[in-house]
Amino acid sequence: MSADHCHIPLLARRDIIWFVLAQMMPLLVALAPTRADGIASARSTCAHGDYQKAVRQLTPFALCGNAQAQAMLGFMDENGFGAPKAYDAAVGLYIQAANAGIPFAQACSDCCMTKVMAFRRMSFSPTNG
């Protein structure tokens, strides 16, 4: 049904939208510090050496597009912290974070891509069968 055929008058629809937004605002404000606290908690967990827990903490944030979480997970994937080394996954995460403007990810994406290309050359060389 298009907006032209809606039975609710335009002014009433606008009032409903503003009402819903006003009701959601406290929830959005409450969630913002949680996101920052979640990243800080993952950093602390990583600093204490519990890399698998840090991966579990960062993954939801990275999947939601948090560039800091993507850069941290990229670093962990590249170096095998919390899971086996996964250069392809690391490059993907670095690129997403780099596109969001994280300088660390911008620098690491090129370095990690070089590792991926070198690994592929070694894997497909004639001497390896």
Side-chain angles (χ1 to χ4, degrees), residues 34-110:
T34 304
R35 176 173 264 189
D37 291 344
I39 300 294
S41 175
R43 274 198 188 111
S44 175
T45 301
C46 197
H48 286 90
D50 192 351
Y51 302 119
Q52 291 177 341
K53 182 177 179 184
V55 168
R56 286 192 307 270
Q57 290 175 324
L58 289 169
T59 299
F61 293 111
L63 291 173
C64 288
N66 184 293
Q68 291 178 343
Q70 291 167 340
M72 289 175 66
L73 276 178
F75 181 79
M76 294 176 79
D77 281 345
E78 179 184 4
N79 295 292
F81 295 130
K85 290 182 180 182
Y87 294 130
D88 287 330
V91 168
L93 289 164
Y94 280 148
I95 288 172
Q96 289 177 356
N99 288 339
I102 303 293
F104 171 77
Q106 292 168 347
C108 290
S109 64
D110 291 337

Side-chain angles (χ1 to χ4, degrees), residues 1-63:
M1 177 181 281
S2 72
D4 296 336
H5 297 97
C6 186
H7 298 292
I8 301 173
L10 181 61
L11 290 175
R13 282 185 276 170
R14 189 181 67 195
D15 290 342
I16 291 169
I17 291 170
W18 280 110
F19 176 77
V20 170
L21 288 174
Q23 297 302 313
M24 290 177 54
M25 198 56 76
L27 176 65
L28 295 174
V29 170
L31 289 177
T34 304
R35 176 173 264 189
D37 291 344
I39 300 294
S41 175
R43 274 198 188 111
S44 175
T45 301
C46 197
H48 286 90
D50 192 351
Y51 302 119
Q52 291 177 341
K53 182 177 179 184
V55 168
R56 286 192 307 270
Q57 290 175 324
L58 289 169
T59 299
F61 293 111
L63 291 173

